[in-house]
Amino acid sequence: MTDLPQGFTVHVANMGVKDDTNDVMVLNCETPATAVGVFTRSRFVGPSVTISRHNISSGTARAVVVVSKNANVATGATGHANATEITQLVGAAINADPSEVIIGSTGVIGVQYPMERIRSHLTTLHTPFQERSADVAASAIMTTDTYPKVASASAGPATVVGFAKGVGMIEPDMATMIAVITTDAHISAHELDRTFRRVVDRTFNALSIDTDTSTSDMAVVLASGIAGPTDETQFEAALLDVCLNLTRQLAADGEGAETLIVVNVTRARDDDQARRVAKAIVNSPLVKTAIHGRDPNWGRVAMAIGKCHDDTDINQEEVTICFGHQEMYPTPATSPALLELETYLASDEVHIGVDLGLAEGTFTAYGCDLTDGYVRINADYTT
């Protein structure tokens, strides 16, 4: 079990949104925490995103509440009023203003909250909370995840601990799934925002399970400040370590997934071009199914690179494609190497390397194979 940093406690419970498992998580900071976040840019967001964007803009927060199994998206004025009431109820429970409460919601779209059940539970809630386990918090926010996702790292006197959920409907656009990062480092909102956005760009925004951007994506970080000032370089390294760890866990646990796919693009014109190419590869259903079938079909990688048709400086004669350490193009693998590749592709983690031969741009994307399990989970999601 991983404990939350100094200043943070958590409450979890079943309010009746789910049938028989915990469906609410309330993270409380005993004093106002420095807080920043990034959110989905979907044009079909729910009230949780709208309210949280507004509340976190102050640069401080006292709590994060996440309701699991109900996204509360496309629920109109009633849905917005219900989400607002939840922030009011949580605020009253921890003696904070509702504007200091960040709300996340995840699950089925288009269904109203069961407010009588939620209200009945939250009106009895009060601090102090006794639980400090990040694992318990992570378990309470899961939907189709198969296990809770937690990561931690140290930054001098401070600790960074994060937990996240989300294994489907993931193609981030300025955020991803739901991720809550906590730290006891003392840091200004301005510096925390700049650092977090740099980290998110290389971690959560490098993740794709199925190319679908969620209506409810949210990644937030809260800093209690209790551990005091921390070296900025050390802090960013710890934050990167935690977010990258969570990113890899989310990719590996993609709905129905059996293999983590890591695509590393090097020597691109710039990092943006490397990102486009890496995402084109990791998002390709043909690449995903080839990896699932243990088929060393590098032609599917070449196809995915070729889809970046606006990048006219990509010259196929300068490109190199590798599976693991084995070059596949332009030098074809021999029969013995192909047999070894079949074994490699059956491992839990497969790396695809692409060298564009242009300049110094790099980017690494994270995804997973495409299996019949993904189809079954999503074919039967609401039925």
Side-chain angles (χ1 to χ4, degrees):
M1 288 287 186
T2 302
D3 282 345
L4 294 164
Q6 300 175 83
F8 294 97
T9 55
V10 68
H11 164 82
V12 302
N14 177 275
M15 301 188 297
V17 181
K18 289 181 181 177
D19 292 332
D20 55 4
T21 58
N22 289 334
D23 52 30
V24 64
M25 185 284 303
V26 181
L27 175 79
N28 178 53
C29 188
E30 59 190 38
T31 57
T34 302
V36 300
V38 286
F39 301 88
T40 182
R41 295 198 297 182
S42 167
R43 300 307 303 162
F44 230 103
V45 298
S48 62
V49 172
T50 304
I51 293 169
S52 294
R53 274 182 182 149
H54 176 269
N55 288 358
I56 211 167
S57 64
S58 68
T60 62
R62 280 285 313 280
V64 178
V65 54
V66 177
V67 178
S68 177
K69 211 59 177 180
N70 184 318
N72 190 33
V73 170
T75 51
T78 299
H80 192 278
N82 289 338
T84 299
E85 183 180 353
I86 289 175
T87 66
Q88 294 168 342
L89 291 169
V90 170
I94 65 170
N95 194 29
D97 192 273
S99 64
E100 297 179 286
V101 178
I102 308 304
I103 180 171
S105 202
T106 174
V108 178
I109 292 171
V111 178
Q112 297 286 352
Y113 283 142
M115 282 305 295
E116 288 187 12
R117 299 175 193 171
I118 292 175
R119 192 178 296 116
S120 176
H121 178 78
L122 293 182
T123 52
T124 65
L125 184 64
H126 58 84
T127 53
F129 302 153
Q130 302 303 316
E131 183 63 67
R132 296 196 61 239
S133 169
D135 301 78
V136 169
S139 296
I141 67 173
M142 296 194 310
T143 48
T144 55
D145 301 64
T146 64
Y147 65 89
K149 294 158 184 68
V150 177
S152 65
S154 297
T159 301
V160 180
V161 176
F163 55 93
K165 63 80 54 183
V167 290
M169 198 188 287
I170 294 181
E171 167 65 85
D173 194 356
M174 291 307 294
T176 184
M177 15 36 80
I178 291 180
V180 180
I181 316 298
T182 57
T183 180
D184 47 16
H186 184 274
I187 185 170
S188 71
H190 175 69
E191 183 58 33
L192 184 59
D193 185 64
R194 290 199 311 166
T195 302
F196 192 46
R197 289 180 184 277
R198 284 196 299 267
V199 167
V200 165
D201 190 53
R202 287 284 179 175
T203 57
F204 297 138
N205 270 348
L207 168 67
S208 183
I209 301 299
D210 48 21
T211 80
D212 286 333
T213 297
S214 171
T215 58
S216 306
D217 288 348
M218 177 180 85
V220 297
V221 56
L222 281 71
S224 71
I226 293 175
T230 303
D231 177 80
E232 292 180 6
T233 301
Q234 284 187 328
F235 177 75
E236 183 163 349
L239 187 62
L240 177 63
D241 185 45
V242 167
C243 293
L244 182 57
N245 189 320
L246 291 173
T247 296
R248 290 172 57 86
Q249 289 187 61
L250 292 164
D253 195 31
E255 289 177 335
E258 297 177 0
T259 305
L260 168 65
I261 300 175
V262 180
V263 179
N264 185 37
V265 176
T266 58
R267 296 216 296 161
R269 178 180 69 248
D270 51 33
D271 291 352
D272 286 341
Q273 182 183 57
R275 176 196 292 273
R276 285 191 295 276
V277 173
K279 282 294 192 73
I281 296 167
V282 83
N283 281 335
S284 166
L286 291 179
V287 172
K288 289 172 172 287
T289 49
I291 298 301
H292 177 62
R294 314 335 182 190
D295 181 12
N297 187 348
W298 61 266
R300 293 184 172 183
V301 178
M303 172 279 301
I305 298 169
K307 289 195 296 184
C308 300
H309 47 77
D310 289 335
D311 290 282
T312 57
D313 53 345
I314 295 178
N315 180 353
Q316 61 180 288
E317 295 180 359
E318 301 297 328
V319 172
T320 302
I321 300 171
C322 297
F323 285 168
H325 297 295
Q326 177 62 52
E327 183 175 323
M328 304 298 293
Y329 172 86
T331 304
T334 61
S335 295
L338 289 174
L339 290 175
E340 292 178 6
L341 272 176
E342 289 185 25
T343 301
Y344 173 69
L345 294 177
S347 58
D348 293 336
E349 182 171 329
V350 169
H351 288 241
I352 299 173
V354 173
D355 183 327
L356 295 180
L358 291 172
E360 302 301 321
T362 64
F363 192 80
T364 302
Y366 304 86
C368 60
D369 59 341
L370 179 59
T371 72
D372 56 349
Y374 178 87
V375 176
R376 283 271 53 88
I377 289 169
N378 287 286
D380 303 330
Y381 191 69
T382 63
T383 55

